[in-house]
Amino acid sequence: MNPRTLRVLEYQKILDQVAAACAFSGGMELAYALLPSDDLHTVQEWLAQTAEAYRLLDQKTDISFGGVHDVRPQLDRAERGAMLLAQELLEVRNTLLRARTLQTTLTKLEHSFPRLAEIAANIEPCSHVIAEIGRCINDRGEVVDGASDTLARVRQELRVAQDRLLSTLDRLIHSAEIRPYLQDALVTQRQGRYVIPVRAEYKGNIDGIVHDQSASGATLFIEPLKVVQQNNAVRELELQEEREVRRILTELTELVADEATYVRRNLQILSELDFTLAKAKVAYMQDASAPEIVPFQPGKEPLAPAGDGEGEGIFHPGSVIDLRRARHPLLDPATVVPVDVYLDEETYIIVITGPNTGGKTVTLKTVGLLALMAQSGLMLPVEPGSRLSVFEGIYADIGDEQSIEQNLSTFSSHMTHIIEILEEADPHSLVLLDELGAGTDPDEGSALAMALLDNLRDRGITTFATTHYSDLKLYAHNTPGVRNASVEFDVETLSPTYELSIGLPGRSNALVIARRLGLNPVIVERAEGIVRPDALEADALLDDIKRARQEAQQATQRAKERERQAQALEADLRYQLASLEEARRTVIAEARARMQQELDDVRGEIEQTRRQLARATQFSGGGSHESFLAEAEREIARRQRDTEEVDTNVVMPGAASERLTGAIEVGDRVWVPTLQASGEVLALNERAGDADVQIGNFRLKLPLKRLELRQKAAKDVPPPRIEVQAGAMHDSPGIEFDMRGERVEEGLEKLERYLDNAYLARLPWVRIIHGKGTGALRDSVRDLLRRHPVVGEFRPGDHGEGGDGVTIAKLVGN
């Protein structure tokens, strides 16, 4: 990319943001080395990686670079044979350890983040290096005793020798002969030797070697002769320890040097991951999204004949720019005004007009900087759905960069840059020109600007230009491939709105502003008389067009909002209906299974009862039981049919059924073809010709002509009467049976008949009141219930049901 363009568009500030988001220097180096690519597939891959990292951050996945260090200097020294210190080796270990952890984490997320996992897959774990350094050096950067047997032995001997030496010195400094001559009763070290502080005036009273004195000269640090040999022994062991530690560090350094190639590669991969995540962090700060990167799509039909009258004509170069709600990434997000910038199939040159400080230059910089960012694999502060082509060159002439040394005027400076741009640009380039033709005579500047735009148009070069010249508005309106745009100005507040309108030129506001600022109306009217009438009419027409356009945009926005609401409502309805249908099928399946199991159980119990009765025919009453069992079997058969027909007797939303004829009534189920859903009629308004229909959680008012009758409402019918014996019908015997005051034998006989009738009346349970008394009646009742074929289970009454004076019996199959 053109270096001047990168400087003018402040690309370096974007790199500063990325570098600041990096975790360590390796990622920062990649950030500052980042340049836009002109290769389509490279840009698409970079953006895909950034988008993956963005989703990774969005999931709050624990991706940390804590412990990573730039260990390249250590690797260089190790390869040259220099010994690495323990802390440096620990940094190498921590870096490798973090690399291995990141590889494991991203490998587990391979299905969701394949590109990041592919990068991490190239990490070499170097587990033996991690293990060996970890075995020899602790987290404080100290070589541990267990690093070697020799070191462990030497340090053990050293501790013993030091203890002996310190014990001897402690006895000396607390002895009556030595204590009066000491400055303090303590032991310290000087030049690696253990000494005691002696007052200078008493140095002749203690035999020993002077190693140092205090700054004031009042204290001498003397090694008593009694401990010289012990000090020598300690010093010899310390030297042995140092030699052994150096040997261990040297071996570890050689190990690192042998694996330096892999460590460097791991560091490069960590840098790449850090850099990619930093780009995602910047996207988070900018509330950015990934644009779609598309190839150039050259037009097949000419937009106009060739400018020289020869050749096939002028074609659209195929550049795609569609930036939705684009924001300049270096401006305050709280105040920046988003703009929509786009090229259609018939436009590749945009001419922007409008007042000074109105946002024309910011728009140019926004387009150029976002294009650079996208081609660098950075997400953009735009709405999703934005699209961009990859330009092979981006050229910008923005701002007043005249050179005093070269004695160039503003016009000359701009023209020098434009000449360079014209020499380098081609149909795959993007050109940004600010204040085209400014700095010279307006007539000549306007003519030169049109000639430059003609040249860029004939060569098929995508261009955005700003200008103050009114003639260029007419040029853009009448020239194929060129289109007007303008930045808005609020004449009420006398301030720009910074909003961009593509398709309409900016109008002159000088007279309006002058009038609102209080200029003498006579002067303003005189100026209006001097201005060409067609110019004033054009300004008024522009006002009308902008007003109509704003109204159309607002209407379109309202229509889109209603469409979104309708789509959301439809999606919710379909979800509700699907949930209801699934619940219906589940309930029916469970009910059928439960009913079938209960029927099978009852059949077995009836067969068992029949066998018991056959063996007990010598006792009277067998015929009555036989008739009861026969009736029970008929009832079971009827319930079996109900079970098999349960699916056909229930119509739920979404279920297919035939359309019925007849009037629609409250409670009927109807089908709504337009919603592809069914519901229940809650209310009718025959005069208005509509009905209230409950569909899922929604109550809708729909025309009757849009409803199809599918199922009539169920009518209330009296409870069924079941025949027990020929000519006899039984109603429900009631939910309670009171036995208090009955003799045991008579009461049990009445209870047995009550249970048979309760079962045939399909009572689910009964409450038997027997009282407490001596408990004889209660025990007899429960013994009968335990053996009776229609009783599934029973229990004593709860506190509110009568306690132990009541028994609650649940009947089988009901």
Side-chain angles (χ1 to χ4, degrees):
M1 287 295 166
N2 184 285
R4 182 174 177 276
T5 297
L6 298 179
R7 183 179 69 257
V8 167
L9 296 179
E10 300 178 287
Y11 179 73
Q12 183 63 37
K13 292 184 178 180
I14 299 298
L15 299 188
D16 290 340
Q17 291 182 354
V18 177
C22 291
F24 78 110
S25 58
M28 294 176 64
E29 286 185 10
L30 291 181
Y32 282 123
L34 178 63
L35 287 174
S37 171
D38 59 4
D39 180 72
L40 175 67
H41 298 294
T42 299
V43 173
Q44 289 174 334
E45 181 62 23
W46 283 356
L47 268 173
Q49 290 176 358
T50 306
E52 270 194 15
Y54 186 92
R55 288 191 291 108
L56 188 67
L57 293 177
D58 198 38
Q59 291 187 3
K60 311 299 182 187
T61 305
D62 184 18
I63 298 295
S64 169
F65 290 84
V68 175
H69 300 272
D70 186 357
V71 295
R72 286 173 294 182
Q74 290 92 313
L75 297 177
D76 293 340
R77 288 172 46 221
E79 289 180 318
R80 292 196 301 266
M83 185 192 75
L84 298 182
L85 300 179
Q87 189 61 43
E88 293 175 319
L89 289 166
L90 188 61
E91 290 177 355
V92 172
R93 178 183 182 271
N94 290 341
T95 300
L96 291 175
L97 194 60
R98 176 54 59 183
R100 188 173 68 181
T101 301
L102 285 173
Q103 182 189 44
T104 302
T105 301
L106 292 174
T107 300
K108 292 178 180 177
L109 301 173
E110 181 178 6
H111 295 296
S112 301
F113 308 98
R115 289 178 173 83
L116 297 179
E118 183 179 359
I119 296 174
N122 295 315
I123 291 175
E124 176 62 42
C126 296
S127 298
H128 62 294
V129 178
I130 296 173
E132 187 61 18
I133 295 177
R135 186 184 69 82
C136 298
I137 302 174
N138 62 24
D139 291 338
R140 296 187 299 275
E142 302 167 341
V143 178
V144 299
D145 295 356
S148 73
D149 294 340
T150 300
L151 183 62
R153 176 183 57 77
V154 169
R155 284 184 172 173
Q156 178 61 28
E157 293 176 358
L158 177 59
R159 283 190 287 270
V160 172
Q162 287 174 333
D163 288 344
R164 291 174 178 171
L165 172 59
L166 292 174
S167 296
T168 301
L169 288 171
D170 187 65
R171 288 194 300 271
L172 281 175
I173 63 177
H174 289 93
S175 64
E177 297 82 4
I178 299 296
R179 181 67 184 88
Y181 309 128
L182 300 180
Q183 194 72 261
D184 293 294
L186 56 83
V187 177
T188 184
Q189 275 190 311
R190 288 294 186 273
Q191 300 176 7
R193 310 286 288 190
Y194 286 92
V195 297
I196 57 177
V198 179
R199 295 177 183 178
E201 60 269 25
Y202 297 121
K203 64 179 180 180
N205 296 79
I206 298 178
D207 295 332
I209 302 170
V210 177
H211 287 280
D212 198 4
Q213 69 177 1
S214 65
S216 62
T219 303
L220 298 178
F221 296 96
I222 297 175
E223 177 185 359
L225 292 178
K226 293 182 178 180
V227 297
V228 169
Q229 291 301 323
Q230 287 180 300
N231 250 327
N232 289 343
V234 168
R235 187 57 186 156
E236 288 175 2
L237 289 171
E238 287 175 345
L239 293 174
Q240 290 182 35
E241 179 193 24
E242 291 176 7
R243 286 194 298 271
E244 183 61 17
V245 167
R246 290 184 62 83
R247 185 192 67 79
I248 293 169
L249 294 179
T250 300
E251 287 185 356
L252 293 176
T253 300
E254 291 173 353
L255 179 61
V256 170
D258 292 341
E259 302 294 330
T261 300
Y262 299 111
V263 178
R264 279 197 185 90
R265 187 174 71 186
N266 289 352
L267 197 63
Q268 180 62 30
I269 294 171
L270 289 173
S271 300
E272 187 174 351
L273 289 172
D274 181 30
F275 168 58
T276 303
L277 286 167
K279 291 192 292 183
K281 293 173 184 176
V282 171
Y284 243 100
M285 292 187 294
Q286 297 176 350
D287 190 21
S289 64
E292 180 185 0
I293 302 300
V294 297
F296 272 66
Q297 303 166 2
K300 298 181 180 179
E301 298 294 331
L303 301 177
D308 55 7
E310 300 180 0
E312 298 179 354
I314 296 174
F315 290 83
H316 195 298
S319 54
V320 176
I321 295 179
D322 184 8
L323 300 174
R324 305 178 183 181
R325 309 291 293 168
R327 307 178 301 279
H328 195 288
L330 299 178
L331 297 180
D332 184 358
T335 58
V336 65
V337 178
V339 294
D340 292 326
V341 184
Y342 56 89
L343 302 174
D344 57 31
E345 296 179 353
E346 298 181 352
T347 306
Y348 57 94
I349 295 180
I350 297 289
V351 177
I352 306 174
T353 54
N356 286 328
T357 69
K360 300 191 303 297
T361 302
V362 172
T363 299
L364 286 189
K365 287 188 173 183
T366 300
V367 173
L369 185 54
L370 295 191
L372 291 174
M373 290 173 62
Q375 293 181 215
S376 301
L378 293 166
M379 297 169 69
L380 307 181
V382 296
E383 290 292 321
S386 298
R387 300 186 303 151
L388 271 176
S389 292
V390 173
F391 296 96
E392 294 180 0
I394 299 177
Y395 303 93
D397 176 53
I398 297 177
D400 183 7
E401 293 188 313
Q402 58 179 305
S403 171
I404 296 177
E405 291 85 358
Q406 295 179 354
N407 194 27
L408 295 176
S409 66
T410 299
F411 176 78
S412 299
S413 175
H414 280 298
M415 197 50 56
T416 300
H417 296 148
I418 290 174
I419 292 171
E420 295 174 357
I421 290 172
L422 293 176
E423 290 175 351
E424 297 182 17
D426 61 27
H428 286 87
S429 299
L430 172 63
V431 174
L432 308 170
L433 302 174
D434 190 27
E435 297 297 345
L436 187 59
T440 186
D441 177 76
D443 291 334
E444 291 184 356
S446 177
L448 184 59
M450 284 188 280
L452 288 171
L453 290 176
D454 267 337
N455 179 272
L456 293 166
R457 184 181 75 105
D458 293 343
R459 295 167 59 188
I461 299 175
T462 304
T463 304
F464 284 76
T466 68
T467 183
H468 276 96
Y469 296 136
S470 298
D471 290 344
L472 288 184
K473 302 176 188 178
L474 187 60
Y475 167 83
H477 179 73
N478 294 327
T479 305
V482 186
R483 196 172 187 188
N484 272 306
S486 61
V487 288
E488 301 289 345
F489 186 86
D490 189 341
V491 295
E492 298 296 328
T493 61
L494 301 180
S495 61
T497 65
Y498 304 105
E499 295 179 356
L500 180 70
S501 294
I502 294 181
L504 292 176
R507 58 161 296 185
S508 172
N509 294 293
L511 299 180
V512 177
I513 294 173
R515 188 186 301 276
R516 290 190 60 81
L517 289 176
L519 184 64
N520 191 323
V522 175
I523 299 175
V524 176
E525 291 173 2
R526 174 62 179 163
E528 290 176 345
I530 296 174
V531 176
R532 297 194 308 265
D534 57 342
L536 295 177
E537 292 177 3
D539 283 347
L541 182 60
L542 280 175
D543 277 342
D544 293 339
I545 293 174
K546 287 183 178 180
R547 193 177 303 109
R549 183 175 183 179
Q550 289 174 352
E551 292 175 355
Q553 289 175 342
Q554 291 171 358
T556 301
Q557 187 64 30
R558 288 195 297 269
K560 289 182 178 179
E561 182 62 28
R562 292 194 187 99
E563 182 182 3
R564 282 194 293 268
Q565 292 176 355
Q567 290 174 347
L569 177 61
E570 181 182 4
D572 188 57
L573 280 173
R574 293 192 177 279
Y575 174 78
Q576 295 279 355
L577 295 174
S579 300
L580 285 172
E581 176 63 15
E582 181 64 24
R584 179 188 76 90
R585 295 183 182 277
T586 301
V587 169
I588 289 175
E590 292 176 352
R592 292 189 66 180
R594 186 170 60 252
M595 292 168 65
Q596 186 61 50
Q597 181 62 43
E598 291 176 352
L599 291 174
D600 291 343
D601 293 343
V602 170
R603 281 199 180 95
E605 292 174 2
I606 290 176
E607 185 60 30
Q608 181 180 0
T609 301
R610 178 176 282 114
R611 286 196 297 269
Q612 292 173 353
L613 291 174
R615 291 194 297 269
T617 54
Q618 63 273 26
F619 301 102
S620 60
S624 174
H625 285 297
E626 279 296 337
S627 63
F628 162 72
L629 294 176
E631 181 59 33
E633 286 185 336
R634 286 194 295 272
E635 176 64 15
I636 289 172
R638 186 185 67 77
R639 295 195 188 187
Q640 179 69 45
R641 289 192 301 272
D642 290 345
T643 301
E644 294 172 351
E645 294 172 0
V646 68
D647 274 331
T648 62
N649 290 336
V650 180
V651 178
M652 293 296 289
S657 59
E658 295 182 359
R659 183 172 185 175
L660 304 179
T661 58
I664 295 176
E665 298 176 345
V666 174
D668 292 347
R669 294 205 65 82
V670 294
W671 176 257
V672 186
T674 55
L675 296 179
Q676 289 293 295
S678 64
E680 181 181 344
V681 177
L682 300 180
L684 287 173
N685 188 350
E686 295 181 355
R687 177 175 299 179
D690 56 30
D692 290 350
V693 182
Q694 185 77 27
I695 300 178
N697 290 336
F698 297 91
R699 179 169 178 157
L700 306 177
K701 185 176 290 296
L702 300 170
L704 286 171
K705 62 183 180 180
R706 289 173 53 187
L707 307 179
E708 297 179 6
L709 179 61
R710 292 300 174 91
Q711 184 186 20
K712 296 296 293 180
K715 303 297 183 181
D716 291 334
V717 295
R721 298 168 65 88
I722 301 175
E723 182 179 356
V724 177
Q725 295 179 352
M729 300 294 291
H730 279 261
D731 292 326
S732 170
I735 205 72
E736 287 186 351
F737 181 67
D738 192 346
M739 298 180 61
R740 288 176 294 186
E742 296 281 354
R743 293 170 58 105
V744 175
E745 293 79 3
E746 295 174 356
L748 293 181
E749 185 178 350
K750 291 179 181 179
L751 175 60
E752 198 164 6
R753 287 196 300 272
Y754 168 77
L755 291 173
D756 291 344
N757 293 331
Y759 174 79
L760 293 176
R762 303 182 67 179
L763 295 180
W765 54 271
V766 294
R767 181 169 178 261
I768 304 168
I769 305 173
H770 44 64
K772 298 181 180 178
T774 61
L777 180 59
R778 177 196 60 200
D779 295 340
S780 299
V781 168
R782 293 177 180 175
D783 184 58
L784 173 66
L785 295 177
R786 192 175 292 108
R787 294 179 287 102
H788 202 284
V790 301
V791 178
E793 59 185 51
F794 62 89
R795 61 175 175 80
D798 291 334
H799 178 71
E801 296 174 325
D804 208 32
V806 169
T807 298
I808 307 298
K810 182 180 179 182
L811 306 185
V812 298
N814 294 334

